[in-house]
C-alpha cells in the first residue's frame, strides 16, 4: 500500500473542487498493512504544523487533530478501529524513514 501525503485537502479528494491544503506536503508512505499506513498517515498530518489561512482556522500547532478541527462531529478513527477489529491490519506501526 502507498499513501501520498501531499496537498492534503480539507474535503474529500473526490470533490470536483477543493480548498487549499491544510498542512505542507509530508511525503510518501509504503506498508504491507493498510490499517497501519492509514494510522501513520493521520498521525503525520496531525503532527504537522497547519498552514495558516487554510480551512483549519485554528489548531495549527503540532499534535492537534486537524481532521477533528474541520469536522468536529466526525470521529475519523472509527474506520481504523473497525479495520483492526476485522483483522485487516493493526493500528500499531514502526515508522522507518529512508
Amino acid at each position: 500500500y502507498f499513501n501520498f501525503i501531499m496537498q492534503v485537502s480539507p474535503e474529500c479528494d473526490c470533490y470536483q473542487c477543493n480548498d487549499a491544503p491544510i498542512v505542507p506536503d509530508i511525503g510518501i508512505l509504503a506498508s504491507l498493512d493498510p490499517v497501519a499506513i492509514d494510522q501513520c498517515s493521520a498521525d503525520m498530518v496531525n503532527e504537522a504544523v497547519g498552514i495558516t489561512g487554510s480551512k483549519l482556522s485554528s489548531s495549527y500547532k503540532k499534535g492537534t487533530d486537524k481532521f477533528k478541527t474541520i469536522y468536529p462531529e466526525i470521529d475519523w478513527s472509527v474506520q481504523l478501529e473497525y479495520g483492526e477489529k476485522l483483522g485487516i491490519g493493526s493500528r500499531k506501526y514502526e515508522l522507518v524513514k529512508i
Side-chain angles (χ1 to χ4, degrees), residues 33-36 38-39 75-92:
D33 184 327
V35 177
D38 283 351
Q39 180 66 62
D75 181 2
W76 58 266
S77 67
V78 170
Q79 65 186 359
L80 299 178
E81 290 171 10
Y82 193 59
E84 192 172 45
K85 182 178 177 182
L86 291 174
I88 296 171
S90 171
R91 293 178 71 183
K92 295 178 183 175

Side-chain angles (χ1 to χ4, degrees), residues 16 30 37 44 87:
Q16 197 169 24
I37 195 171
M44 292 184 82

Side-chain angles (χ1 to χ4, degrees), residues 49-68:
V49 174
I51 296 176
T52 305
S54 69
K55 195 170 181 178
L56 282 175
S57 73
S58 66
S59 300
Y60 297 109
K61 294 181 181 180
K62 285 184 172 188
T64 58
D65 191 331
K66 311 297 188 286
F67 306 107
K68 197 71 165 169

